[in-house]
Structures are given as structure tokens and as C-alpha cells.
Amino acid sequence: MIQHTPSTKRFTAENDWLVSNFSFSFGPYYDPDNTNFGPLRVLNDDIIQPGKGFGIHPHREAEIVSIVLKGQLKHEDSLNNVGILQFGDIQRMTAGTGVLHSEFNPTSDEETHILQLWFMPNEKQLTPSYEDISFDPKKLTNQLLPIVSTNGGDHVARIHQDLTMYLSKVDAGKEIQFEQQVGRKIYLFVIEGSFTINEEVTLNERDDARITELHEITLQAKQDSFILLIDLPGGEE
Amino acid sequence: MLYVRHTVGSRLFFETNEYQIKPVDNEWEISFSADKESANNLLQFHDELNIFHVEGEHQKTWYYSSEGIVHFDKGNNTISIFADHKTVYPV
């Protein structure tokens, strides 16, 4: 089954320094039928104005992944990690028993565009930790490049959940295939472009698809496309 | 002021300036009044609550119950959250 959610169905929260589009219940937006897809609980698509950001705040019991699409993101946390991320960098933070952090756009003249995803951890009360990795953007072309996985690896962040996140830039007219194991699910998010899934469903920019009970999908790009695919546990929802 | 929020996105459940925070051994019993409907709503999220105690402009205290222990006394319309975690941080 493919459940398609157009970008226009997302909840938008906006103030003078932030525009945030929520794919799942978050903050003031609460829909009991849209709180998660398997362990995926949050996908926020944020635009942060120059010099602005999220001040010190706590998190717990979440695996948080940030993907910088444009501009820069400065991170500081109570584990003494400080870093500036840009496109090609991925940040994974295990909040576990509790971590304090801040996230800012450190520039004076450029917006920061990020995707931030939260997953339920596979274990409670984990020791908080932080990791950032870099991938080679050239390796995104017409293939699924793993960026986060259970076991991690070279240029792949390690997450405390049974999942793999992939990014891919697919040229118009090209196809990529993904085979899924029985009992697992797939989450797809279109960062840019437009493509079809199994010639059935067309996804456009910032749409998502929540896929269950399909063991093979073919993504055909109608335009040059940039996609996020997440292989997730569980197939019942 | 005391704020009770959801761990995912900080959705606000309660905001009150009438509360008690009582240390008990290495834990804290945080109590405040609530009507039955609001209490029942909170209890649905008992293991995903962050409690913030704000005194002054420069610091917050963050509490939570790692086991999600929240009681509602229907007789007194009082919620009690038994927190085992406390962090004070500057804002």
C-alpha cells in the first residue's frame, strides 16, 4: 500500500525567523492519526533566517537526525560538541537520558534549510551521544547512498534503531529500484523534483509516501529529483 | 511558573503558577490542580512529559519521570508527577 501525502497537507508553523513544515504531529499541530510511521515520529522541513535559531533546549528518548540542504547550521550541546554543518553533512544525536542543545544559522546573509527527523530509539535511557558525518555529494547520482544506519560505517552515521536512511539524486528519465524485506516499511520524501512509484503514484516536491506491504519499488524520475528514502522496521501500519 | 509539555515538539499541556515541588529522597513530587478531562488527556502521554520550572529570566529547571509515573487524585483534582531527573540550565 502506498499512502501519498501531498506537501500542501503538511502543517506550517511560521514566525519572524522560522518557517517549519511538519509532516507529523509536532508542537501546536496534533493529529492522533499522524503521530508516527513506525519509529519515525518527526520530519520537520525548516527554513531558518540568518543569525537566528533554536536556543538552549532539552531532548530525551529520541534519535535526532539533521540534514542540511542549504546554508549552514551551528550546533552546540551539553556534551561539549560544537560544529557547523552544511550540505554534505549529516548530524545524528542520541538524546537518551537527556541532552541540552542549541541550533543556529551562524551566517549573516544566507537562509539555512534543514530537514530534521526524530526516531524512537530501540532502547530507553541510552547514554546521550552525538556524531556528524560527511558524504560525497557526487555519490548521490542515480543511486541510493546510505547516510544513516543501525551499524554505521564510513560516511554513515550510526543510529539506535533498526533503519537505514538513503539520499539520492535521480536524473530525469532514470529509474532506481529498492527491494524491501517482508515485514518492513518504506518512507519516501521528495526534497526536489518529481517522480513516480511503480508507475502508480506521482510524488512532487516535499510530498511524502508511506509504503507498506510492497517488496519492490521502482522510482522513475519525471524531472531531476532529490529524494530521501528510509527503510523502517514493521509493516503493520 | 510551571509548564508541562510533550517531549515531541513541546506541545503545552499545563501552565500554572500554583504548584508544589517536593523533594523526596532523590526524586521530586510535582503537584498541581487539574480538572478531570485535562488530567485524562495528560495521562495518555504520561511517559512523554517534560516539566519546566521557570523562576526569573535566566534559568529553567527541567524535570521528567523516566518511568512515566503520573497520578491523578480525583478527590482533590490534583496531578502528581514523580520525577527522577532534574537539570538546571541557563536560558
Side-chain angles (χ1 to χ4, degrees):
Chain A
M1 186 174 78
I2 301 172
Q3 182 192 336
H4 172 206
T5 308
S7 64
T8 51
K9 296 280 186 188
R10 298 183 302 171
F11 182 93
T12 302
E14 191 166 357
N15 61 30
D16 59 349
W17 61 269
L18 174 71
V19 177
S20 192
N21 287 288
F22 306 147
S23 295
F24 296 91
S25 294
F26 191 88
Y29 163 56
Y30 180 67
D31 175 353
D33 295 324
N34 187 29
T35 58
N36 67 293
F37 183 60
L40 174 58
R41 291 196 74 169
V42 170
L43 192 161
N44 290 353
D45 182 2
D46 293 341
I47 300 174
I48 307 168
Q49 292 303 307
K52 303 290 186 183
F54 304 94
I56 299 171
H57 60 281
H59 292 291
R60 66 182 180 97
E61 305 299 2
E63 298 286 300
I64 300 175
V65 176
S66 299
I67 302 172
V68 180
L69 301 176
K70 182 185 170 201
Q72 298 179 13
L73 183 70
K74 183 175 183 183
H75 165 97
E76 288 185 73
D77 66 37
S78 52
L79 308 172
N80 297 320
N81 296 297
V82 180
I84 294 181
L85 307 167
Q86 54 196 352
F87 182 67
D89 299 329
I90 302 293
Q91 176 194 102
R92 186 272 307 161
M93 188 170 74
T94 294
T97 54
V99 65
L100 298 166
H101 81 148
S102 64
E103 296 160 298
F104 276 85
N105 175 347
T107 73
S108 58
D109 57 359
E110 187 184 17
E111 288 180 343
T112 299
H113 294 206
I114 62 165
L115 299 179
Q116 190 166 83
L117 300 97
W118 298 18
F119 300 90
M120 298 172 208
N122 55 11
E123 210 180 315
K124 285 203 161 189
Q125 295 284 288
L126 289 165
T127 300
S129 63
Y130 170 92
E131 174 184 22
D132 56 54
I133 61 99
S134 298
F135 62 85
D136 179 355
K138 290 184 204 131
K139 293 185 176 173
L140 296 173
T141 307
N142 297 325
Q143 63 175 349
L144 291 165
L145 181 71
I147 52 165
V148 176
S149 75
T150 314
N151 296 318
D154 283 348
H155 310 291
V156 181
R158 177 172 177 263
I159 194 164
H160 298 91
Q161 184 50 269
D162 175 18
L163 63 84
T164 305
M165 295 175 61
Y166 301 88
L167 290 174
S168 182
K169 289 196 167 183
V170 190
D171 295 333
K174 295 278 188 185
E175 288 183 357
I176 54 173
Q177 266 97 30
F178 185 76
E179 287 186 18
Q180 181 58 291
Q181 293 172 35
V182 173
R184 294 183 66 84
K185 54 183 75 175
I186 300 167
Y187 181 82
L188 273 169
F189 183 80
V190 187
I191 299 168
E192 293 168 4
S194 173
F195 61 85
T196 59
I197 307 171
N198 292 352
E199 297 182 340
E200 286 176 32
V201 176
T202 299
L203 299 189
N204 295 309
E205 192 163 304
R206 262 53 177 189
D207 290 0
D208 80 20
R210 304 168 193 198
I211 303 171
T212 54
E213 297 159 18
L214 273 182
H215 308 307
E216 189 172 316
I217 58 169
T218 300
L219 308 177
Q220 184 173 52
K222 296 171 73 178
Q223 324 168 351
D224 289 350
S225 297
F226 185 16
I227 64 170
L228 167 68
L229 184 151
I230 312 174
D231 166 13
L232 292 159
E236 71 285 357
E237 291 176 58
Chain B
M1 191 68 90
L2 190 80
Y3 301 87
V4 182
R5 295 180 176 276
H6 193 216
T7 52
V8 180
S10 273
R11 184 158 56 98
L12 183 65
F13 292 111
F14 282 96
E15 175 181 354
T16 179
N17 56 15
E18 292 186 9
Y19 55 88
Q20 268 201 327
I21 301 176
K22 191 166 70 178
V24 182
D25 297 327
N26 289 322
E27 301 191 353
W28 298 268
E29 180 180 350
I30 301 164
S31 307
F32 53 93
S33 295
D35 60 69
K36 189 179 171 189
E37 187 182 345
S38 303
N40 285 338
N41 184 43
L42 186 78
L43 287 168
Q44 289 180 57
F45 302 94
H46 66 99
D47 56 351
E48 296 188 336
L49 300 176
N50 285 332
I51 302 97
F52 297 97
H53 183 212
V54 181
E55 286 182 305
E57 295 176 6
H58 303 297
Q59 84 173 27
K60 286 184 182 178
T61 306
W62 170 38
Y63 296 91
Y64 74 80
S65 169
S66 59
E67 300 293 326
I69 301 172
V70 182
H71 294 162
F72 178 54
D73 181 339
K74 290 175 187 165
N76 294 319
N77 283 344
T78 301
I79 289 175
S80 296
I81 301 173
F82 295 85
D84 57 0
H85 176 99
K86 175 184 176 182
T87 300
V88 180
Y89 64 98
V91 290

